[in-house]
Amino acid sequence: MSTKATVEKLVSLCKRRGLVFQGSEIYGGIGGFWDYGPLGVELKNNIKQAWWRAVVQERDDVVGQDAAIVMNPTVWRASGHLDTFADPMVDCKECKKRFRADDLVGAVPAGTHGHEAAAKVSRCPECGGELTEPRMFNLMFRTYVGPVEDDASTAYLRPETAQGIFVNFANVLTTTRKKLPLGIAQIGKAFRNEITPGNFIFRDREFEQMEIEYFVKPGTDEQWHQHWVEERYNWYLGLGMRKENVRVRQLDREELAHYAKDTYEVEYLFPMGWSELEGIANRTDFDLRRHAEFSGRDLTYFDEESGEHIIPYVIEPSAGVDRLLMAFLMDAYDEEEVRGETRVILRLHKDLAPIKVAVLPLSRHEKLVPPAREVWGLVRKHWMSQYDDAQSIGRRYRRQDEVGTPLCVTVDFDTLEDEAVTIRERDSMEQVRVPIAGLVAALRERLETA
Ligand code: ATP
């Protein structure tokens, strides 16, 4: 994280500049749900695009898909979510606050989790009151399909996108005629009725995931696992995240999910400490085996080399878009003194910046408006851009800095004579004069070269 960023500053910037709003704010909000404003949706789309590009577009061994959010409920029996996707919940008998027992783990010796932790923490961390016994609480949101609300019509909002990939494994394999190793990538909403959502958009009840299920031959799984850990770690650095704020941690045996043979986490140094951005798990053949068992379908792969039918192992890099968005913002946030004023600046990577170019006439003078509009017309065909003519030019530069716009193009009175404009760069504040005829090429050079 930037030394100057705090969650409070970030929340305030996000609200002020239309990045993230509290969900249903005019009705007092609803815990764990957030809305993305005009700039937030751009940033979110850019994160998803950067991911898709790295894991699908630029690889020949990964394809995409998009499965439905509501699935046949048997999926969740097969995956184990109906039985095990639960957190231990405790309530304070005095102040009535509710906690996730494993969140209280900091208060007990390291290496104690879940029930064990809850048993050790018997006092409320807020008021010191006595806590109830932990109760297991299933995190899946329930709904009904069709007009009758009964057990037979009960369905669930998916708590992860992964299962939509496992159930389509055979479909994708036969239609693409691909061989192992083969990855299937998907971006989509997931829902978890978290006991304690919080830390802004870090832990939500509705969020978006970017997941890859990478199917490999058993025996090659460990090597592919290492490959993905490296790939994913480097992706964050490639998008400008500071090295000192990102780390990879191998989970201890007792932290592993029931299906995992081994898991690494990419973690970010948030104000609340190192926290997971992405999990990269070796899920073995657990999911395909279970779905084959519950569906009665053959989900094996014919390995031409050995002449045998095998059940592939799976490496799963799974990241949350909202969490990444928060981490990228924290990392990019900076404040510096410029001529006695504090300049707030988001040093976002140019691929992530919501607005790439702002076109700013020096003033609203009638002679400047037509050429400025013309310049904007040239730019907007290529990049997400903004036209801003309100207030002083200095103020407008600051407004763009604050949302991470890499380049501003200024149209001034000289433009009327020399048919040139000024490009001003966000981080260095350097300004160069370029002819309008060469503007698109000059912007492209700055925005699209690595
Ligand atoms: P945690 O331990 O933080 O609850 P998890 O280990 O249950 O997370 P996974 O099931 O591995 O999370 O989900 C993969 C990714 O999805 C996480 O790394 C995170 O980025 C994202 N994610 C999971 N739960 C949430 C949530 N409630 N809000 C926002 N993002 C989430």
Side-chain angles (χ1 to χ4, degrees):
M1 130 191 105
S2 137
T3 46
K4 298 177 184 131
T6 61
V7 175
E8 292 71 32
K9 281 186 193 172
L10 204 68
V11 173
S12 147
L13 175 69
C14 284
K15 179 165 187 200
R16 194 168 73 245
R17 298 309 312 274
L19 285 148
V20 185
F21 305 125
Q22 191 185 14
S24 324
E25 190 191 328
I26 61 167
Y27 290 103
I30 170 167
F33 297 88
W34 297 90
D35 296 341
Y36 290 83
L39 295 184
V41 68
E42 296 298 332
L43 176 55
K44 212 173 178 212
N45 283 343
N46 292 343
I47 293 173
K48 291 189 275 187
Q49 248 169 38
W51 182 85
W52 195 265
R53 187 179 163 144
V55 307
V56 180
Q57 188 180 327
E58 291 181 358
R59 296 184 67 111
D60 55 10
D61 55 352
V62 181
V63 294
Q65 69 151 59
D66 184 21
I69 287 172
V70 175
M71 304 175 71
N72 185 309
T74 312
V75 167
W76 308 113
R77 273 207 288 131
S79 68
H81 282 83
L82 272 174
D83 294 330
T84 61
F85 195 60
D87 279 338
M89 173 172 77
V90 290
D91 292 296
C92 172
K93 290 181 182 169
E94 302 295 322
C95 71
K96 310 292 176 210
K97 285 240 166 73
R98 182 159 283 172
F99 304 94
R100 216 173 103 174
D102 45 349
D103 276 351
L104 305 181
V105 79
V108 298
T112 343
H113 294 277
H115 270 112
E116 215 186 323
K120 294 226 161 90
V121 182
S122 56
R123 314 300 311 181
C124 171
E126 302 255 325
C127 76
E130 199 187 328
L131 295 176
T132 59
E133 282 296 305
R135 283 166 293 151
M136 292 311 276
F137 170 74
N138 195 299
L139 301 183
M140 283 200 291
F141 278 100
R142 221 167 294 170
T143 187
Y144 300 97
V145 174
V148 184
E149 298 188 2
D150 61 11
D151 285 351
S153 66
T154 301
Y156 303 89
L157 302 190
R158 67 181 175 203
E160 61 176 28
T161 59
Q163 299 304 322
I165 298 180
F166 293 123
V167 301
N168 278 305
F169 169 67
N171 281 339
V172 174
L173 196 66
T174 40
T175 52
T176 59
R177 305 159 67 100
K178 293 253 186 201
K179 303 261 173 282
L180 295 192
L182 168 65
I184 305 177
Q186 176 169 255
I187 300 177
K189 290 268 185 171
F191 302 82
R192 296 183 187 179
N193 201 358
E194 297 278 1
I195 297 167
T196 45
N199 284 320
F200 191 31
I201 50 173
F202 179 85
R203 187 176 302 287
D204 317 314
R205 290 184 167 131
E206 173 176 342
F207 54 99
E208 228 170 338
Q209 288 188 313
M210 307 188 288
E211 296 196 299
I212 306 161
E213 305 306 324
Y214 193 77
F215 300 91
V216 303
K217 290 188 196 172
T220 65
D221 50 310
E222 291 181 12
Q223 157 204 337
W224 281 113
H225 200 180
Q226 290 310 316
H227 166 86
W228 278 106
V229 171
E230 263 171 53
E231 281 289 301
R232 297 301 307 136
Y233 174 65
N234 287 330
W235 183 81
Y236 290 94
L237 300 185
L239 284 172
M241 231 176 229
R242 295 171 223 216
K243 210 167 180 177
E244 65 270 26
N245 294 333
V246 202
R247 73 174 188 193
V248 170
R249 183 174 74 87
Q250 185 175 20
L251 297 196
D252 293 335
R253 190 139 281 288
E254 66 270 20
E255 291 177 275
L256 295 179
H258 61 280
Y259 51 74
K261 169 173 159 184
D262 192 9
T263 299
Y264 291 81
E265 278 181 5
V266 180
E267 298 181 334
Y268 184 76
L269 186 55
F270 284 100
M272 62 275 188
W274 288 102
S275 314
E276 173 181 344
L277 286 181
E278 169 161 358
I280 306 164
N282 181 341
R283 292 181 80 124
T284 71
D285 57 4
F286 175 83
D287 303 89
L288 286 181
R289 214 174 257 289
R290 293 277 290 188
H291 285 302
E293 189 188 316
F294 279 72
S295 67
R297 293 292 185 90
D298 176 12
L299 298 180
T300 57
Y301 168 82
F302 181 67
D303 180 20
E304 283 166 3
E305 239 170 56
S306 64
E308 285 175 6
H309 285 270
I310 57 169
I311 303 182
Y313 266 39
V314 174
I315 307 301
E316 177 196 68
S318 167
V321 182
D322 313 74
R323 251 183 220 188
L324 266 57
L325 188 140
M326 179 168 166
F328 279 121
L329 284 176
M330 293 246 89
D331 212 64
Y333 186 94
D334 199 8
E335 288 170 5
E336 61 179 26
E337 288 300 311
V338 179
R339 289 184 285 280
E341 267 186 41
T342 305
R343 169 167 100 119
V344 173
I345 171 169
L346 283 184
R347 298 188 193 278
L348 284 171
H349 189 280
K350 55 187 165 43
D351 291 354
L352 299 183
I355 304 292
K356 311 291 184 210
V357 183
V359 177
L360 316 172
L362 190 65
S363 72
R364 283 181 176 158
H365 192 283
E366 57 179 5
K367 288 218 165 122
L368 292 183
V369 174
R373 289 253 157 204
E374 234 170 81
V375 166
W376 190 33
L378 289 176
V379 170
R380 64 193 303 185
K381 280 197 274 224
H382 302 277
W383 300 282
M384 201 65 208
S385 61
Q386 252 181 12
Y387 181 88
D388 186 8
D389 61 5
Q391 299 180 310
S392 76
I393 189 80
R395 283 267 182 102
R396 281 179 276 155
Y397 282 148
R398 297 287 175 276
R399 267 211 297 274
Q400 295 299 333
D401 292 341
E402 198 180 52
V403 295
T405 307
L407 302 172
C408 290
V409 172
T410 312
V411 176
D412 56 23
F413 288 101
D414 289 343
T415 308
L416 306 175
E417 308 297 323
D418 65 1
E419 301 206 342
V421 289
T422 304
I423 298 180
R424 181 245 192 205
E425 205 266 332
R426 177 193 71 201
D427 294 343
S428 64
M429 294 191 284
E430 261 170 31
Q431 306 199 358
V432 287
R433 193 97 186 142
V434 297
I436 293 175
L439 177 64
V440 168
L443 294 174
R444 177 161 292 131
E445 194 190 314
R446 286 164 176 79
L447 290 170
E448 292 177 10
T449 44

